[in-house]
Amino acid sequence: MTSADHLERVALIDPAAIRRNVETIAGYVRPAKVMVAVKADGYGHGAVTAARAAVQGGADWIGVAHLAEAFALRDAGIEAPLLAWLHTPASDFAEAVRRGVDIGISGWELEPVAEVAERMQTPVHVHFKIDTGLGRNGCTAAEWPGLMARAAQLQERGLISVVGIFTHFAVADEPDRRETDEQLEVFRWALQAAEEAGVRPALRHAANTPAALSRPDAHFDMVRVGVGVYGQSPFADRTPAELGLQPAMELRTRVAGVKTVPAGQGISYGLTHRVDRPTALGLIPMGYGDGVPRIAVDAPVRIGGRVYRSVGRVAMDQFVVDLEDPETAVQPGDEVVLFGGDSGLSAADWGAAAQTINYEIITRIGARVPRVVLDPDADVDTDVAAAPGGTAEAGA
Ligand SMILES: *Cc1c(COP(=O)(O)O)cnc(C)c1O
């Protein structure tokens, strides 16, 4: 028995897995440092849970997209160095300075950051981002020398301290593609241009999980890893186990209904599926309101010793699996695992069923699903993490 047994829907989060995954990745990349990305609520695992476990596993830095995410970590007592890299002119850079959060800069942010530094009479810690080919955030190569010249001036005046220079890869999950080599070449040029301008950061960082695991030449001073820390493989053709990683989320529920139906029975909205023989259907009480993608077809669940497949459309609260036998032994209340744990099913399997990737599956598990955080040191639950409206469910 665990404290999750009374919950009708639960995402079991294993901080020990997160800790071990960080240790494993750190082992691959040493002597490079490790920044663990806990954006988007720790890819759905809980940002604070993930950050704590990551630090225990030896993470040197924590990374997030938004300053608001960084402030929430500080509020929760996370003291590790923090970097946030995605801002708008409404972002509160002064608060970032007060909370000790480093600021990623792609261009326009530099002048408002310098103003904050002037007002607060303190150098702001920044990491400059170069767009080496992803075409998303980051300074273009054309603008980079100008940005570095300005950075050198502000550094000279004591308004900024350049902690890092970084970039982000577009296709590192496909290790054979040469665009990663091209991006690395631009990155090396950008570092050289920075140096020539007099900007010498302590931390050059580029690699995400796939590059950390497949490109030692991209490790530089630090890697920034997310998905691997949660025990998910970033590669289409490699399992987490093959990479020495262990999934940190198990998504569970219980059978809400079982019924025998005749051949021809249509299933769920749109009647996109009809059974072609008498069978039994199992009702699974999770839907897109819980982050189970509506688009998923033929998606797997494990009930007892067997894997069954979804049929018909996923609805807001529920979906249906074909139990493949009118005389099925499956009963209401039986445990259902969608992925993780000992199920042999992965978030990647759900990604394949829903035309997406494991990243999106884990990250979008909804607030209606309570997170139960396993004890970091044992297989005993300690803490039902707060999920809005999600912790007070009756027993199944
Ligand atoms: C999310 C993110 C990462 C981590 O990527 P993974 O593929 O999950 O390892 C690294 N760097 C940046 C800038 C990111 O946005």
Side-chain angles (χ1 to χ4, degrees):
M1 287 281 286
T2 70
S3 71
D5 284 349
H6 70 287
L7 296 171
E8 296 182 316
R9 284 162 291 284
V10 63
L12 284 174
I13 307 301
D14 184 356
I18 294 175
R19 188 188 71 223
R20 284 193 292 269
N21 293 333
V22 173
E23 287 167 358
T24 299
I25 293 169
Y28 289 143
V29 306
R30 232 170 253 134
K33 293 183 193 298
V34 176
M35 176 186 288
V36 170
V38 304
K39 59 194 180 183
D41 204 22
Y43 291 42
H45 296 65
V48 174
T49 301
R52 281 201 192 116
V55 168
Q56 281 175 5
D60 304 282
W61 281 75
I62 300 294
V64 289
H66 309 305
L67 285 175
E69 296 178 299
F71 301 155
L73 291 170
R74 286 285 184 253
D75 289 344
I78 303 293
E79 292 173 354
L82 275 175
L83 172 65
W85 51 70
L86 186 56
H87 317 292
T88 75
S91 298
D92 192 345
F93 296 128
E95 185 67 4
V97 174
R98 282 190 288 270
R99 311 297 298 270
V101 177
D102 285 21
I103 300 171
I105 291 191
S106 293
W108 66 265
E109 303 94 335
L110 186 54
E111 296 309 323
V113 158
E115 275 167 36
V116 163
E118 192 119 62
R119 213 167 352 115
M120 298 178 78
Q121 293 289 300
T122 184
V124 178
H125 289 207
V126 300
H127 300 228
F128 285 101
K129 186 168 195 186
I130 169 93
D131 177 5
T132 56
L134 180 59
R136 228 170 54 176
N137 205 356
C139 178
T140 62
E143 308 243 328
W144 183 254
L147 185 64
M148 288 302 98
R150 181 66 179 143
Q153 284 174 355
L154 295 172
Q155 181 180 257
E156 186 74 16
R157 288 171 53 198
L159 296 178
I160 61 169
S161 166
V162 183
V163 178
I165 290 180
F166 70 119
T167 192
H168 195 35
F169 292 124
V171 297
D173 56 316
E174 300 171 75
D176 294 336
R177 287 182 64 166
R178 59 180 177 72
E179 290 96 329
T180 302
D181 300 295
E182 292 164 4
Q183 286 196 261
L184 277 168
E185 209 166 295
V186 177
F187 189 52
R188 288 197 199 90
W189 166 84
L191 293 169
Q192 181 70 30
E195 165 123 30
E196 280 160 18
V199 175
R200 291 180 197 86
L203 297 174
R204 302 160 299 165
H205 47 107
N208 52 3
T209 299
L213 298 180
S214 70
R215 296 290 305 233
D217 58 335
H219 290 170
F220 294 94
D221 303 305
M222 181 162 75
V223 300
R224 298 184 313 274
V225 286
V227 87
V229 162
Y230 304 101
Q232 302 290 333
S233 171
F235 304 113
D237 58 353
R238 315 224 12 220
T239 64
E242 287 169 342
L243 300 168
L245 303 173
Q246 188 188 337
M249 181 192 290
E250 176 181 353
L251 188 60
R252 272 196 209 167
T253 183
R254 290 184 182 279
V255 175
V258 176
K259 65 185 174 194
T260 304
V261 296
Q265 173 72 52
I267 294 162
S268 194
Y269 296 127
L271 298 176
T272 56
H273 183 87
R274 285 182 190 276
V275 299
D276 58 8
R277 66 213 176 299
T279 188
L281 302 177
L283 187 63
I284 312 300
M286 294 187 102
Y288 60 79
D290 306 288
V292 176
R294 179 175 179 274
I295 198 176
V297 287
D298 204 29
V301 303
R302 182 171 287 278
I303 306 173
R306 282 198 56 187
V307 173
Y308 301 96
R309 297 274 163 181
S310 72
V311 284
R313 274 196 195 135
V314 174
M316 186 181 292
D317 310 307
Q318 53 199 289
F319 65 95
V320 172
V321 295
D322 189 340
L323 296 171
E324 294 170 16
D325 176 1
E327 310 290 313
T328 181
V330 174
Q331 293 180 3
D334 284 1
E335 186 176 278
V336 181
V337 181
L338 281 72
F339 58 80
D342 301 325
S343 67
L345 302 176
S346 68
D349 294 328
W350 272 84
Q355 296 175 39
T356 184
I357 53 175
N358 50 1
Y359 287 74
E360 185 174 356
I361 297 294
I362 56 176
T363 301
R364 294 186 75 169
I365 296 308
R368 188 162 68 173
V369 180
R371 270 62 170 173
V372 169
V373 181
L374 297 170
D375 187 303
D377 305 313
D379 268 352
V380 187
D381 307 350
T382 49
D383 185 19
V384 177
T391 54
E393 299 196 351

